[in-house]
Structure formats: C-alpha cells, structure tokens
Amino acid sequence: MKKIVTVIGARPQFVKASVVSKELRKKFKEVIIHTGQHYDKNMSDIFFEELSIPKPDYNLGVGSGSHAYQTGMMLIEIEKVLIKEKPDYVLVYGDTNSTIAAALAASKLLIPVIHIEAGLRSFNMNMPEEQNRVLTDHISSILFAPTDDAVNNLSKEGINKNVFNVGDVMCDSVLFFSKQVKKNNIGLIPIYEEKKYNKWYLTTIHRAENTSNNKNLCQILKTLNDLDELVIFPVHPRIKKMIDELENENHYQNIYFVEPVDYLTMLYLTKNSKKVITDSGGLQKECYILNVPCITVRDQTEWVETLNNVYNILAKPEYNDLYKKIINAKINDKNKINYYGDGNASKKITDILSKEYFQ
Ligand code: UD1
C-alpha cells in the first residue's frame, strides 16, 4: 500500500482532514504530522475529538513565533520525519505556515507534493497566506482546486499539468457535519438561555490586516457594539490578548466574547445567525453554503463566487462603511449556483490519486 504523509497544523486544516483522511485511508496508508502551529485545547484537541480525526502520528510542538521562526522550525522537524517515513507523497492543505513548510521540506527531498485547495488567489502579496499559497502551488506535483476560478488562476501562472477541479473539501465537511448539529449537542452554554436571544450576529476577526493596528480593530468593535442584536464573537487567543490590552471587554456591552468554539457549535451559531461578519476565508464559504448573509471585512476575497447574488459583501474596517453594509446586507438568492460541489470532493481526490497515480 502506498504511503501518504499528511501535514496539518492550524484549525481549518483539521476540519478539512476530518473528511479527507476518512476517504484516503480506504486506499492508502496515511501518516499524520501535526506541526503544533495551533496548540490550545480549543484551537486543536477539541477538533480531533469531535470530528474523529485520526490521532497524529507525530506532533512537532512547534508553537508560535515570527513567520520565519515558525516556518523554519517546521521545515527542520518535518524533514526529519519525511526522511524516516519515506512517503510516496506529501499532502498539504490551504495556505498556512504549516502548508508552505511541509511543501518545501518535501520538495527539497524530491517527494511529490499534493496540494488541496490549490489555485486560490487574493492577488495581495502582503498577506502571508497569499505568499504561502502561491509558493506551495508552484512546488506541488498534483493540485486539487476547489473551483473553476482556481483552475484559471493556476493556468494564468502556467500551471496546467495535474490540476483537477474536484470541488471543495470544506463543503464536504459542512454538508456532512451539519446533519449532526443539534441545539443540545453544542459545546457552548446555550446562548438562547443565557442571553435570551434566539438570533444573533456572529463574528470572527483575526487577520493581520484588521488586527495589526488598534485603529482598525477598534472601529470594527465599535460598529459591532452598535448593532441591533447581540454579536457573538468567538475570539482567537491572539486577538483576545489585544482586546484585553485595548479596553475592558465590558466596554462592549453588545458583544458576547467567548473562547474559540468547536466545529459543531460554529456550524450551529452560523446557521442560526442573522448575519455573519468575518475576515476568515472558510466562514465566508460556509455562509454561502448555509444561506447566511456574510459581510467580509477585507479588500478582496479568494472565494470570489460568494460575491454573486450578494451572499457576501466586502467592507472596510471603518465604522460608516461597515455599519451600512451590515444593516443593508440582503441575499438575492434567485439563481443560486452550487460552486463548491456536492460534498464528494474527498472521494474524488482519493479516486484520482488511486486511479491516475498509484496504478
Ligand atoms: C493561522 C493562519 C491563517 C488561518 C488561521 C486559522 C498562517 C500564516 N496563518 O493564523 O491563515 O486563517 O491560522 O485560525 O499560517 N495562538 C495561541 N494559541 C494557539 C494558536 C495561536 O495562543 O493555539 C496565538 C499565539 O500568540 C500566536 C498567534 O496566536 O503567536 C498567531 O498564531 P499563528 O498560528 O501564527 O497564526 P494565526 O493568526 O492563528
């Protein structure tokens, strides 16, 4: 049986692995490396438990640091494992520092790289994620793109060989796990009981462009605080520290700050929210799939299809623009197109790998 080493390290990658590993293991031997990029219980362990992700065979415990430190430490540690395991392929997801570190370590050992979620572009090279995804695509041997747009982006950069549009693996997870979401199995203290609300806005903000200066973060928080319903904000640990330094969280009476939540709780909160305000890539797409209006606090999005029919609107981190767009957001759902597939991307990936590459 051929061997694939999968490298994951950050929250969205755990969600993707939960559906892909299940399929891959029907045909391949899979070894999982967790880089340790995300290490808090709520950012990591909880996902492995709830989504039944196979326990990592290696945890590198790299943790936090500057981009160079984090990526460099991963590169060194991943290389050691690859030399020992001698896999036929290395599989990576998305655009994090764990992705580029694994792709680079494999590529230098001449181990072919499989990139899932290839071809996405924001065309903003100031984003660490854009640097990671462009570089990873160019050193990958097999590229699984989630949409036609992603395939076109690769083609414009001269990458045409071994590119497959299989649909989006995150769509697989949304469709699969949505069925398991019930009020009584959500991990959070039920909001409707504690705060007597049954509708809310949901927000997640963590991108460098919105959080590296206090001005943008303050404008976003002030806007959320002025909305007409409660705003639930599961806060990334880094942003929690920043908010604590800025103001006492009681300053924002209309914002309910909670610890990062597990995946089923997040799906529950998303499905039942009035609107979502975010800068996360994955959440924009989950909103599209679940028919929830999304306001994305960024200048551009990699998931350009979500902008059609006003499912998703881009907004600036400025009070007037953001407030107006949140209040006015309304989906025009005539002619909704299913851009992200039918929930079978993981199966298609496994079939293509086993039929075309591992004869
Ligand atoms: C990373 C990804 C981003 C992705 C996000 C998903 C990169 C460049 N960015 O951003 O694309 O959207 O994950 O959540 O890879 N921290 C903790 N506990 C943790 C993890 C992080 O306290 O478990 C704190 C640390 O202070 C750390 C900081 O958060 O320095 C940033 O973490 P890092 O993994 O570098 O980037 P993210 O912002 O999480």
Side-chain angles (χ1 to χ4, degrees), residues 2 7 9-10 34 52 57 94 97-98 105 119 157 162 218 221 228 243 250 257 263 315 339:
K2 299 283 185 182
V7 183
H34 184 333
S52 306
D57 300 273
N97 289 343
S98 299
E157 292 173 23
N162 301 329
C218 285
L221 292 173
D228 55 332
I243 294 174
N250 294 330
F257 295 94
Y263 187 61
Y339 295 107

Side-chain angles (χ1 to χ4, degrees), residues 9-13 36-44 63-67 70-71 74 94-100 127-130 132-133 206-208 211 236-239 241 260 279-282:
R11 205 164 39 168
Q13 293 164 337
Q37 175 168 354
H38 286 173
Y39 46 86
D40 283 0
K41 189 171 184 344
N42 287 347
M43 299 286 285
S44 175
S64 305
S66 69
H67 287 282
Q70 194 177 50
T71 313
M74 290 176 192
D95 55 21
T96 69
N97 289 343
S98 299
T99 313
I100 183 64
M127 289 174 71
E129 292 82 5
E130 182 79 351
N132 291 340
R133 58 172 90 97
H206 73 276
R207 296 268 174 195
T211 55
H236 185 295
R238 173 167 54 86
I239 314 311
K241 271 183 229 148
D279 57 10
S280 142

Side-chain angles (χ1 to χ4, degrees), residues 52-64:
S52 306
I53 306 166
K55 205 171 161 335
D57 300 273
Y58 298 87
N59 191 324
L60 308 180
V62 166
S64 305

Side-chain angles (χ1 to χ4, degrees), residues 23 27 34 94 108 110 146 151 168 204 248 279 299 303 354:
E23 283 299 325
K27 304 229 165 113
H34 184 333
K108 285 184 181 287
L110 306 183
V151 173
D168 178 39
T204 70
N248 181 317
D279 57 10
D299 288 336
W303 302 102
S354 61

Side-chain angles (χ1 to χ4, degrees), residues 195-316:
K195 293 267 175 185
K196 308 265 181 275
Y197 285 92
N198 52 20
K199 267 283 179 206
W200 46 76
Y201 293 96
L202 175 67
T203 196
T204 70
I205 297 288
H206 73 276
R207 296 268 174 195
E209 64 225 67
N210 286 326
T211 55
S212 59
N213 76 56
N214 292 346
K215 184 171 156 273
N216 289 354
L217 185 59
C218 285
Q219 290 268 315
I220 295 170
L221 292 173
K222 186 171 174 342
T223 313
L224 298 175
N225 199 44
D226 281 358
L227 292 177
D228 55 332
E229 303 262 12
L230 180 79
V231 179
I232 302 176
F233 187 171
V235 197
H236 185 295
R238 173 167 54 86
I239 314 311
K240 174 85 177 81
K241 271 183 229 148
M242 291 186 65
I243 294 174
D244 288 347
E245 278 161 26
L246 272 173
E247 309 271 5
N248 181 317
E249 66 181 51
N250 294 330
H251 184 79
Y252 299 105
Q253 285 291 327
N254 193 45
I255 307 179
Y256 185 35
F257 295 94
V258 295
E259 299 260 307
V261 296
D262 58 280
Y263 187 61
L264 293 187
T265 302
M266 196 61 188
L267 284 178
Y268 175 85
L269 292 177
T270 307
K271 256 178 148 175
N272 293 291
S273 68
K274 192 168 172 177
K275 295 172 189 180
V276 167
I277 302 101
T278 189
D279 57 10
S280 142
L283 190 51
Q284 294 172 45
K285 212 172 29 187
E286 284 159 355
C287 288
Y288 186 89
I289 297 165
L290 297 170
N291 297 323
V292 178
C294 180
I295 299 86
T296 298
V297 194
R298 286 182 48 195
D299 288 336
Q300 63 284 115
T301 174
E302 302 80 36
W303 302 102
V304 283
E305 316 78 23
T306 58
L307 299 175
N308 298 343
N309 293 0
V310 224
Y311 274 82
N312 188 12
I313 302 167
L314 301 178
K316 298 201 173 309

Side-chain angles (χ1 to χ4, degrees), residues 6-70:
T6 295
V7 183
I8 51 184
R11 205 164 39 168
Q13 293 164 337
F14 309 144
V15 175
K16 293 166 199 165
S18 70
V19 283
V20 176
S21 286
K22 221 177 344 153
E23 283 299 325
L24 268 191
R25 284 169 183 239
K26 293 180 184 165
K27 304 229 165 113
F28 303 104
K29 173 163 175 46
E30 188 191 33
V31 172
I32 296 184
I33 304 179
H34 184 333
T35 60
Q37 175 168 354
H38 286 173
Y39 46 86
D40 283 0
K41 189 171 184 344
N42 287 347
M43 299 286 285
S44 175
D45 299 2
I46 217 171
F47 289 83
F48 282 83
E49 288 157 22
E50 179 176 73
L51 308 182
S52 306
I53 306 166
K55 205 171 161 335
D57 300 273
Y58 298 87
N59 191 324
L60 308 180
V62 166
S64 305
S66 69
H67 287 282
Y69 171 85
Q70 194 177 50

